[in-house]
Amino acid sequence: MKTGKLIGIGLGPGASDLITLRALRHLHTLPVLAIPRPNPWTPSLAFRIIKEHLLTDNGQEHLFLEFPMSRDPEILIPAWTKAFAAIRSRLEAGLDVGFVTQGDPFVFSTFIYVYESLKADIPGLDVEMVPGVSSINAVPNVAGRPLVDGQERLAVIPATYGIEDLRSILRSFDSVVLMKVSSIMPQIVQVLEEENLLECSVYVEKATTEDQRIIHDLRSIRNDRCVYFSMVVVTKKHRNGILRGDAPKSEREALHVQ
Amino acid sequence: MKTGKLIGIGLGPGASDLITLRALRHLHTLPVLAIPRPNPWTPSLAFRIIKEHLLTDNGQEHLFLEFPMSRDPEILIPAWTKAFAAIRSRLEAGLDVGFVTQGDPFVFSTFIYVYESLKADIPGLDVEMVPGVSSINAVPNVAGRPLVDGQERLAVIPATYGIEDLRSILRSFDSVVLMKVSSIMPQIVQVLEEENLLECSVYVEKATTEDQRIIHDLRSIRNDRCVYFSMVVVTKKHRNGILRGDAPKSEREALHVQ
């Protein structure tokens, strides 16, 4: 029997109408959808996005899989092994399996582990990725902050990576997207304040969902512990234009079309 | 009369089924679509994506606007002024205008200039952005290269920015997306070779379109002049895992779930 195909389906940032037509076609036609959730008692964000699009009575299997929010290998490894085995059994039964994932399949997504593990385990496995709208794009859009343009440079970093690194990245890049800011907002606000970048910064949580929250004055939440799906976007917009950063000033000013 | 609303509509990377359901709804219902093109003789990439989705006989205006591929203000300013005025006249006639744009409206997009100019000109202008799948996401997906994960850091830079800067960014970031590589492939390949990163690099042009081309061995195109819509993605994947980069090695190895 021919092994089934593994399809990583990006669902976009949260709003159910920000999925692509290609994702929708897969949701309607695949025999198995693998749906990640942290545990059986927490609603799956991916499922929240897709549920209104699912057809009924088409025999599609909804395979909920647990991916615990933990860094402890003793918790992760058994859960992941179980999840990978469940997908593998469907593939080996000749069924195509769509693994749905919020955002894009290849940006900070559980699908990356599924993909790498199953590709290693099943030689010649047929895979397909359906790119999705990433929160890296959705957040600047909902906040009304153009992200990069012309010769500008963008850095996307998990904020927990290190505060001193953050300072040097803020100085070297035109725009910076800070992911996973939830636990260290006080430090982030302090660095942005010292670098004189608070005016260029915006905080967004749960972008495009009904719980979306946009905070332009980061001082007002400096002591808060924020939710997991939250980001800070810094856009300096110093260069501002299609011309090269090294263009003569007069030429660059000429481009401020009225 | 109430001024119309300006809507920036991201169309995704090129395939017409990678637009979102929200974008499709706007294509079906807006009275005016503004469609950028470099000149009247070159087909509009945005139009190529939307044309199969457009309804006929609904009276929708397709307003083609010229945005020349030039850095010369004497060419750009008159063309842009004309384009902005054409959109403004529809808005002031109370019509909602959708400006369609390949990729995402706020990432290296002409829409950023439209947005900033019209917002400055029309106080209180109502605007909406529909985020799209960016080529920053589409390219790693079609190339089968997971982009960022765990504690990894991503830089997105126009390759023309500077070769020396490129070297230091390649050393500091886990993944690097090089945009606009067309004219400087020889220099890029040389730097990647010297940094021992050729194996981690892939070149993709016109991702997700029928003209898509994926080159895994960059040496084979080192002397080519490539097309405008081309990118190089470098993914080192040194850290590889959900655990922090500073986790003990034994703990990190434990995470290579079999």
Side-chain angles (χ1 to χ4, degrees):
Chain A
M1 184 185 297
K2 194 178 174 303
T3 303
K5 182 177 182 180
L6 173 68
I7 301 147
I9 305 175
L11 299 176
S16 58
D17 65 346
L18 287 176
I19 71 167
T20 64
L21 304 185
R22 189 178 297 177
L24 185 66
R25 178 170 53 80
H26 283 305
L27 296 181
H28 285 172
T29 58
L30 286 173
V32 182
L33 293 183
I35 306 164
R37 62 183 176 190
N39 57 58
W41 313 277
T42 305
S44 158
L45 290 166
F47 189 69
R48 197 187 297 176
I49 297 172
I50 64 175
K51 65 182 177 203
E52 73 178 64
H53 299 299
L54 297 176
L55 305 176
T56 50
D57 302 327
N58 64 347
Q60 185 177 61
E61 183 188 9
H62 298 156
L63 180 62
F64 286 93
L65 299 173
E66 270 83 58
F67 290 88
M69 301 280 264
S70 167
R71 292 180 184 282
D72 180 353
E74 294 196 22
I75 294 172
L76 290 178
I77 292 178
W80 289 13
T81 304
K82 194 175 159 196
F84 298 162
I87 297 173
R88 185 175 177 163
S89 74
R90 273 71 177 179
L91 293 171
E92 288 177 343
L95 298 168
D96 295 344
V97 177
F99 187 99
V100 294
T101 177
Q102 198 177 10
D104 178 81
F106 274 175
V107 173
F108 299 116
S109 161
T110 307
F111 177 72
I112 296 175
Y113 304 102
V114 174
Y115 168 84
E116 288 181 339
S117 169
L118 291 171
K119 264 214 335 174
D121 280 1
I122 308 174
L125 177 66
D126 194 9
V127 290
E128 176 191 338
M129 277 64 69
V130 180
V133 176
S134 171
S135 58
I136 297 168
N137 294 104
V139 163
N141 276 281
V142 300
R145 303 279 183 112
L147 188 61
V148 268
D149 173 31
Q151 288 293 306
E152 290 178 342
R153 311 195 296 178
L154 166 68
V156 179
I157 55 174
T160 44
Y161 188 84
I163 283 294
E164 276 318 307
D165 268 10
L166 172 59
R167 203 183 294 275
S168 91
I169 287 170
L170 286 169
R171 288 178 188 176
S172 317
F173 284 78
D174 301 285
S175 292
V176 178
V177 171
L178 299 169
M179 319 278 294
K180 310 179 187 187
V181 296
S182 57
S183 59
I184 57 161
M185 275 304 285
Q187 296 95 309
I188 291 171
V189 174
Q190 189 185 333
V191 171
L192 291 171
E193 200 161 39
E194 288 166 9
E195 297 293 318
N196 208 17
L197 289 171
L198 275 180
E199 307 305 317
C200 317
S201 305
V202 61
Y203 167 91
V204 178
E205 66 185 39
K206 299 183 178 175
T208 80
T209 73
E210 56 198 25
D211 301 320
Q212 170 179 293
R213 195 167 154 235
I214 302 176
I215 307 286
H216 290 280
D217 180 6
L218 268 66
R219 286 182 200 89
S220 68
I221 53 163
R222 71 180 310 152
N223 293 319
D224 295 6
R225 188 181 162 90
C226 302
V227 300
Y228 182 75
F229 286 101
S230 55
M231 280 168 51
V232 168
V233 176
V234 185
T235 50
K236 294 186 197 166
K237 290 286 152 207
H238 288 163
R239 267 193 273 271
N240 192 23
I242 201 172
L243 295 175
R244 294 187 310 279
D246 55 357
K249 194 156 183 286
S250 60
E251 191 186 353
R252 293 171 62 195
E253 281 174 347
L255 257 197
H256 288 138
V257 184
Q258 66 292 331
Chain B
M1 187 186 298
K2 193 175 174 304
T3 302
K5 183 176 182 179
L6 174 67
I7 301 148
I9 306 175
L11 298 176
S16 58
D17 66 346
L18 287 175
I19 71 168
T20 63
L21 305 185
R22 190 179 296 178
L24 185 67
R25 179 170 51 81
H26 282 306
L27 296 181
H28 285 173
T29 57
L30 286 174
V32 183
L33 293 183
I35 305 164
R37 62 182 177 191
N39 57 57
W41 311 277
T42 306
S44 158
L45 291 165
F47 189 68
R48 197 187 296 175
I49 297 172
I50 65 174
K51 66 182 176 206
E52 73 179 64
H53 298 300
L54 297 176
L55 305 176
T56 50
D57 303 326
N58 64 347
Q60 185 178 60
E61 183 187 10
H62 298 156
L63 180 63
F64 286 93
L65 299 174
E66 270 83 58
F67 290 88
M69 302 279 265
S70 167
R71 292 183 184 279
D72 180 353
E74 293 196 20
I75 294 172
L76 290 179
I77 293 178
W80 289 13
T81 305
K82 194 174 157 195
F84 298 162
I87 297 172
R88 184 175 177 163
S89 74
R90 273 70 176 179
L91 294 171
E92 288 177 342
L95 298 168
D96 294 344
V97 177
F99 188 98
V100 293
T101 178
Q102 200 178 6
D104 179 82
F106 274 174
V107 173
F108 299 118
S109 162
T110 307
F111 177 71
I112 296 175
Y113 304 102
V114 173
Y115 169 83
E116 289 181 338
S117 168
L118 290 171
K119 264 213 338 174
D121 280 3
I122 308 174
L125 177 67
D126 195 8
V127 290
E128 176 190 339
M129 276 66 68
V130 180
V133 176
S134 171
S135 57
I136 298 167
N137 295 103
V139 163
N141 276 280
V142 299
R145 304 278 185 114
L147 189 60
V148 268
D149 174 31
Q151 288 294 305
E152 291 179 340
R153 311 193 296 177
L154 166 68
V156 179
I157 55 175
T160 46
Y161 188 84
I163 283 294
E164 278 316 308
D165 268 9
L166 172 59
R167 204 182 296 274
S168 90
I169 287 170
L170 285 168
R171 289 178 188 175
S172 318
F173 284 78
D174 302 284
S175 292
V176 178
V177 171
L178 298 169
M179 320 278 294
K180 309 180 188 186
V181 295
S182 57
S183 58
I184 57 161
M185 274 305 283
Q187 295 96 308
I188 291 171
V189 175
Q190 190 185 331
V191 171
L192 291 171
E193 202 161 39
E194 288 166 8
E195 298 292 319
N196 209 16
L197 289 172
L198 274 180
E199 307 305 317
C200 318
S201 304
V202 61
Y203 166 90
V204 178
E205 66 186 38
K206 298 183 178 175
T208 80
T209 73
E210 58 197 25
D211 301 320
Q212 171 179 294
R213 196 168 153 236
I214 302 175
I215 308 285
H216 290 279
D217 180 4
L218 268 65
R219 287 182 199 87
S220 67
I221 53 164
R222 70 180 310 151
N223 293 317
D224 295 5
R225 189 183 160 88
C226 302
V227 301
Y228 182 77
F229 286 100
S230 55
M231 279 167 52
V232 168
V233 176
V234 185
T235 49
K236 295 185 197 168
K237 290 285 150 210
H238 287 164
R239 265 192 275 271
N240 191 25
I242 202 174
L243 294 176
R244 292 187 312 279
D246 54 357
K249 193 156 183 287
S250 60
E251 190 186 354
R252 292 172 63 196
E253 279 172 349
L255 256 197
H256 289 138
V257 184
Q258 65 292 331

